Amino acid sequence: MSKNHYEVLGLEQGAGQEEIEAAFQELLVVRRSRRSKTSDLHAAHAVLSDTNLRRAYDLALLGTAATEKLAKAKDVAVEMVDHARESMPDIDLQAVAHDAWQTTLKAVVLVSGFAAKVADVTCTASRKLQGEAAKQISA
C-alpha cells in the first residue's frame, strides 16, 4: 500500500468525521498557499469521509498488518525449528517445519488475497470519487 490515508491527513485510525474534515481543510489551505500538490489530500479525504470506503480501507489495512505479522511469525517459527533441531535431534523436525511452513504460506496467501481485493475495491471507488470531486472543483 502507498502512504496511509490517515498519515496523509495526520490522523489516527479512529478519527471522527469532524477531525477528518478539519485536517483536510487545514492541510488544503497550507498546501494551496505553497502551491503544493493536493491530490493525495483529496484521495485521503474521499476515502476517509465515505463510510463504506473507509470500512473497506480499514479492512485493507488490517489485511496488510496481518500479512506482516504472519511473515514475522514464519521467521520466528523457522528460528524455533532451527533451535529445536539442535537440541532435539531425534525428532523429525524437517517434517514439522514443512507442515508449519505450508500452513503459514496458506495463511499468507489467503490474507494477502483478501487484502488485495479490498485494496482494489477501495482504489476503484477512490478513483471514482476523485473524478467526481475533480468535476465539482472545475465546475
Side-chain angles (χ1 to χ4, degrees):
M1 232 182 243
S2 60
K3 190 165 183 186
N4 183 314
H5 288 322
Y6 291 102
E7 290 174 6
V8 169
L9 296 178
L11 299 170
E12 295 293 320
Q13 195 163 348
Q17 289 300 324
E18 295 85 21
E19 292 173 285
I20 292 168
E21 282 301 319
F24 172 68
Q25 293 300 330
E26 182 180 319
L27 290 170
L28 196 58
V29 167
V30 170
R31 289 219 193 150
R32 283 185 176 164
S33 70
R34 295 180 185 162
R35 298 181 189 265
S36 298
K37 187 175 121 177
T38 61
S39 60
D40 61 332
L41 292 178
H42 287 284
H45 179 259
V47 171
L48 298 180
S49 63
D50 180 279
T51 306
N52 291 329
L53 287 178
R54 185 174 179 178
R55 280 188 194 131
Y57 182 72
D58 287 346
L59 283 173
L61 290 177
L62 280 173
T64 301
T67 301
E68 290 169 2
K69 286 181 181 180
L70 283 171
K72 288 178 186 175
K74 178 210 48 116
D75 293 340
V76 169
V78 167
E79 242 178 72
M80 290 174 64
V81 166
D82 287 342
H83 177 69
R85 184 177 292 134
E86 293 168 6
S87 59
M88 297 180 280
D90 56 331
I91 296 175
D92 185 6
L93 293 174
Q94 186 119 18
V96 172
H98 178 73
D99 291 346
W101 176 251
Q102 290 298 315
T103 302
T104 302
L105 283 177
K106 288 175 186 175
V108 167
V109 167
L110 289 172
V111 170
S112 297
F114 172 73
K117 185 62 178 172
V118 170
D120 184 48
V121 168
T122 302
C123 186
T124 301
S126 179
R127 283 192 191 114
K128 288 179 182 177
L129 283 172
Q130 287 176 21
E132 290 301 316
K135 287 178 190 175
Q136 290 178 5
I137 289 170
S138 63

